[in-house]
Amino acid sequence: DAGITQSPRHKVTETGTPVTLRCHQTENHRYMYWYRQDPGHGLRLIHYSYGVKDTDKGEVSDGYSVSRSKTEDFLLTLESATSSQTSVYFCAISVQGGGRGDTGELFFGEGSRLTVL
Amino acid sequence: GNSVTQMEGPVTLSEEAFLTINCTYTATGYPSLFWYVQYPGEGLQLLLKATKADDKGSNKGFEATYRKETTSFHLEKGSVQVSDSAVYFCALSEGYSTLTFGKGTMLLVSP
């Protein structure tokens, strides 16, 4: 257990409203990630962070922003939610440090299911 | 760019049957390869991995061999159990832990 907590676990919201999902870790890992999971698409990387205030875009970053003001928290924000952002969102951390030699073992949170009506 | 292709599911088997889930990949360099498993209502967890050609990853009776010549990493298990019912994801990484996942294959095992 890598000590990852996601909140909220379930949320229903309306189109156009802002939404923030939180990922909290207890073990001071440097690299954190946000993925979304959709049927027929597997998991796709939204954004990732390699340290406090250091973030980068992933494959499907449009419509999302992230912030990391503390090592333990990585926030994903949908500024104006759309129905296409209905998905299950997973936070993950790299326990090997996330550098070039990292072989890619990630620990995942339990997911946050977001429904945008 | 990198990509992972795995067989579509669901794969439906009876308990104690042999399992194969095919996975092939496209990568620009020399990736590490992974199988992750997702049980209902849970996040993904690492099942096994291989970091270089000809390596065999194994765990819980599952195994997969990194085949560079065929760019494949097929998952096998000799005798599946009902508790193996889950979604299985093949993935690759070329460092920095930015994984590229396949679309997932659901496995359903009946008693």
Side-chain angles (χ1 to χ4, degrees), chain A residues 33 37 40 98-99 102-103 106, chain B residues 34 36 38 49 89 96-97 103:
Chain A
Y33 309 79
Q37 183 179 22
D102 188 322
T103 54
L106 300 185
Chain B
F34 308 84
Y36 280 80
Q38 183 180 32
K49 69 179 183 182
F89 292 91
Y96 304 102
S97 282
K103 295 181 179 180

Side-chain angles (χ1 to χ4, degrees), chain B residues 18 23 35 42 45 48-49 69 73 75 80 83 87 111:
Chain B
F18 184 86
C23 171
W35 279 100
E42 299 183 8
Q45 53 186 278
L48 54 85
K49 69 179 183 182
E69 63 276 14
F73 192 56
L75 182 68
V80 294
S83 57
V87 180

Side-chain angles (χ1 to χ4, degrees), chain B residues 7-79:
Chain B
M7 60 191 292
E8 292 191 21
V11 173
T12 304
L13 296 173
S14 298
E15 205 164 25
E16 299 184 2
F18 184 86
L19 169 71
T20 300
I21 300 178
N22 291 336
C23 171
T24 57
Y25 68 90
T26 302
T28 53
Y30 302 95
S32 296
L33 301 174
F34 308 84
W35 279 100
Y36 280 80
V37 59
Q38 183 180 32
Y39 299 103
E42 299 183 8
L44 280 72
Q45 53 186 278
L46 180 67
L47 179 60
L48 54 85
K49 69 179 183 182
T51 58
K52 61 183 186 297
D54 299 325
D55 270 2
K56 177 185 285 187
S58 61
N59 187 26
K60 299 181 181 179
F62 292 89
E63 58 182 35
T65 301
Y66 189 148
R67 301 287 188 199
K68 184 180 175 185
E69 63 276 14
T70 55
T71 61
S72 64
F73 192 56
H74 305 321
L75 182 68
E76 296 181 337
K77 187 176 185 182
S79 176

Side-chain angles (χ1 to χ4, degrees), chain A residues 66-85:
Chain A
V66 290
S67 65
R68 187 142 177 231
S69 58
K70 299 184 291 184
T71 299
E72 59 265 36
D73 288 326
F74 190 32
L75 304 181
L76 177 70
T77 297
L78 293 65
E79 300 289 350
S80 177
T82 67
S83 59
S84 64
Q85 294 176 311

Side-chain angles (χ1 to χ4, degrees), chain A residues 14-17 78 80-86 89 114-117:
Chain A
E14 294 188 350
T15 297
T17 60
L78 293 65
S80 177
T82 67
S83 59
S84 64
Q85 294 176 311
T86 293
Y89 292 87
L114 175 67
T115 302
V116 183
L117 302 176

